Amino acid sequence: MNPDPFTLRQLAWMVEGRGEFLWNMTACEMALQINMNRKKGAKAVSPSELNPYSSKRKAKVILSVRDSMEALKKAFLGK
């Protein structure tokens, strides 16, 4: 074990890791409470929806060729 004091990078890593861990525990507890008290027929809430550190996938936006060309014209030609 290194007896030297922690570097700023090590301290930041410890704080961020602890924050993520605590948010994960909090999100699980909140989801449990929400799901216990939800109305019949309501959609169940998952902990990942409540956790700000969880990775959320973004929907891809697919434009047609015409829409892409219009966006490029507006961006570069200003019309």
Side-chain angles (χ1 to χ4, degrees):
M1 176 156 189
N2 188 0
D4 295 335
F6 292 113
T7 64
L8 287 176
R9 179 179 291 170
Q10 290 171 328
L11 287 173
W13 180 79
M14 288 170 39
V15 169
E16 288 175 9
R18 182 168 168 82
E20 289 180 25
F21 174 73
L22 291 175
W23 259 109
N24 191 27
M25 286 182 20
T26 304
C28 289
E29 188 67 31
M30 288 187 332
L32 177 68
Q33 291 291 326
I34 291 170
N35 288 330
M36 282 179 12
N37 299 321
R38 68 186 163 120
K39 294 181 180 177
K40 188 174 183 177
K43 181 184 168 229
V45 177
S46 71
S48 63
E49 294 174 9
L50 303 172
N51 188 352
Y53 286 104
S54 67
S55 61
K56 297 186 175 40
R57 296 182 183 198
K58 296 181 181 177
K60 291 184 180 180
V61 178
I62 301 174
L63 298 175
S64 66
V65 174
R66 179 177 288 157
D67 293 338
S68 299
M69 291 306 291
E70 288 178 15
L72 287 172
K73 285 180 184 177
K74 286 179 184 177
F76 291 107
L77 299 177
K79 292 184 179 181

